[in-house]
Amino acid sequence: MTMATHADHSPSPARPRERDRDPDRDRRSGPEGAESPEVSEAHESPGAPEDRSTSDPATPKDAPDAVPLARTRTGAGLLAGGLLTGVIVLALVSAAYGAYDIPVTDVIASVQHRAGLGGHALDRVGESVLWNVRLPRVVLALLVGASLGCAGALMQGVFGNPLAEPGIIGISSGAAVGAVASIALGLSFLGNWTITACAFVAGLVTVLLVYAMSRSGGRTEVVTLILTGIAVNAFAGALIGLFIFFADNAQITQITFWQLGSLSQATWPKVLAVLPCALLGLAVAPLYARKLDLLALGERPARHLGIDVERLRIVLVLVVALFTAAAVAVAGIITFVGLLVPHLLRMAHGPGHRFLVPGSALGGALMLVAGDLAARTVAEPAELPLGVLTALFGSPFFFWLLLRTRRRQGGWA
């Protein structure tokens, strides 16, 4: 009797029901309802620390997210600092070396003297070579390279694919048609701004045409983009040939400069002609970096996040046309800068446009200053056309990029 009564009051039948009513134990149990070893140890040890992974926001769980962000910012700062240092060093070297060598220390001293910061003036020949030949060319290379590099980053963001570049899809050729037409027809209605204005209008018409023809089903097709660029380049080449046919010898020499691309005719008036366009574009482009990141998610998600996609594209297309027109108007057709630089930076740091847009400007300036220095010194005393030199290095990279993209997409469907 006593044993039966003891059995009736045994707590063992109630334990399974209490465990079933404990939601924390159910959440921490394994697939078969058994407790995990960590939970069992916590219940068996009265002095075990409390599990704060869900209640305390400052847990080590959040630390791994903060470390890559800090590393990303540090990497961006180091890369930007390296690019800026490279631009400054190469600019000084390019200003110093050529047919008439000037020591780098004398270049720095002359610049300091002109700026009223000490230093000293050079001899008459050195001052003339430095300030009338070398420095206009270096500054023009910086502006043109920054414009083309930033234009390439914007084009790839706007069109949503990595093969977009002002030269490849015909914008440079279209802008060159406007510049060549103003030369062949002897236009001068805006003075020094006539060539730039004609190049801007022709480049804008070209980029709008390419944008309209490469769109299908709400997206930009890579194959259509490239084929459109081939057609535009062929048509622009035909127009340039037609203007050459009707031009005189002096105009033919000037038009040949636009076709090959060169900075040999750099002067301070040309620097002042391209400076407002380049500075305006470089000031406006970084303001749209965040919107380009959202556009990379797709048009529909970007619209849901409050982005006016069409307005964004129109504004950035105008900026790209401004960049390209300014570059073509003073340097002729220089291709592949806008393709190589954004890709190299994207491989080094990632696709974020907050760094990619200004970084491409620095990278483009670095690349064009280096290219111009090579063009002046490799075949000395002759000078290689800068556009030819960039195409020689850019074409193999573009070919590799096409093969890489085709392998990733499984072919061109």
Side-chain angles (χ1 to χ4, degrees):
M1 186 72 178
T2 305
M3 293 178 60
T5 305
H6 180 71
D8 293 339
H9 292 282
S10 176
S12 58
R15 286 179 182 174
R17 290 193 297 270
E18 291 174 357
R19 185 177 64 183
D20 293 340
R21 288 195 301 265
D22 187 357
D24 293 333
R25 293 172 66 98
D26 289 339
R27 187 170 60 249
R28 295 188 295 262
S29 61
E32 297 298 328
E35 290 182 330
S36 62
E38 295 82 3
V39 176
S40 300
E41 293 174 2
H43 280 276
E44 291 172 2
S45 303
E50 182 183 357
D51 184 11
R52 299 170 54 194
S53 61
T54 58
S55 60
D56 189 356
T59 58
K61 185 169 124 181
D62 297 329
D65 296 332
V67 172
L69 181 60
R71 289 178 180 173
T72 301
R73 291 177 178 176
T74 303
L78 291 176
L79 188 56
L83 288 173
L84 184 59
T85 303
V87 168
I88 295 174
V89 171
L90 268 180
L92 290 174
V93 172
S94 182
Y97 293 102
Y100 182 86
D101 290 339
I102 303 173
V104 176
T105 54
D106 288 348
V107 173
I108 298 175
S110 180
V111 173
Q112 288 177 333
H113 178 72
R114 291 290 184 103
L117 300 175
H120 59 82
L122 307 181
D123 58 83
R124 184 176 60 84
V125 176
E127 283 283 302
S128 178
V129 170
L130 179 62
W131 289 95
N132 296 329
V133 179
R134 296 278 174 78
L135 286 182
R137 187 161 184 164
V138 171
V139 174
L140 201 61
L142 292 174
L143 292 176
V144 172
S147 299
L148 293 177
C150 191
L154 294 178
M155 284 289 295
Q156 293 172 13
V158 168
F159 282 92
N161 71 73
L163 301 179
E165 195 263 345
I168 291 175
I169 63 177
I171 300 177
S172 296
S173 299
V177 169
V180 168
S182 66
I183 295 172
L185 299 177
L187 302 179
S188 60
F189 55 91
L190 292 178
N192 292 334
W193 292 87
T194 303
I195 296 178
T196 303
C198 292
F200 174 74
V201 173
L204 179 61
V205 172
T206 304
V207 74
L208 292 176
L209 177 65
V210 170
Y211 175 74
M213 294 184 65
S214 61
R215 297 281 293 173
S216 177
R219 62 189 181 91
T220 305
E221 296 180 348
V222 176
V223 176
T224 307
L225 184 73
I226 297 175
L227 293 178
T228 304
I230 293 173
V232 169
N233 280 318
F235 185 69
L239 290 179
I240 291 175
L242 189 63
F243 285 122
I244 291 177
F245 179 78
F246 289 106
D248 56 29
N249 291 334
Q251 291 173 338
I252 289 174
T253 302
Q254 197 173 1
I255 290 173
T256 304
F257 157 77
W258 300 106
Q259 289 181 293
L260 298 179
S262 176
L263 298 174
S264 60
Q265 300 181 15
T267 59
W268 287 117
K270 289 189 176 182
V271 172
L272 294 178
V274 71
L275 184 63
C277 300
L279 291 183
L280 179 61
L282 292 174
V284 171
L287 302 178
Y288 293 90
R290 180 178 173 274
K291 293 183 179 180
L292 285 174
D293 287 336
L294 297 178
L295 184 61
L297 301 175
E299 290 190 18
R300 183 173 296 178
R303 288 192 179 97
H304 286 312
L305 292 172
I307 303 298
D308 190 342
V309 176
E310 294 304 320
R311 180 180 178 182
L312 174 64
R313 283 203 167 108
I314 291 174
V315 170
L316 293 182
V317 159
L318 290 174
V319 173
V320 169
L322 185 67
F323 275 138
T324 307
V328 170
V330 297
I333 302 175
I334 299 177
T335 57
F336 291 104
V337 175
L339 179 70
L340 267 69
V341 173
H343 267 286
L344 293 176
L345 292 181
R346 198 176 285 112
M347 292 176 182
H349 184 264
H353 288 86
R354 291 183 62 183
F355 171 79
L356 188 62
V357 172
S360 296
L362 286 174
L366 179 66
M367 178 179 176
L368 211 62
V369 170
D372 184 59
L373 178 62
R376 290 191 291 109
T377 57
V378 167
E380 205 172 20
E383 181 176 324
L384 296 174
L386 183 57
V388 174
L389 196 62
T390 58
L392 284 175
F393 286 95
S395 298
F397 181 84
F398 181 63
F399 181 69
W400 170 80
L401 183 63
L402 280 175
L403 295 179
R404 178 172 175 262
T405 305
R406 185 177 63 180
R407 284 196 302 267
R408 287 190 172 186
Q409 293 184 354
W412 303 115

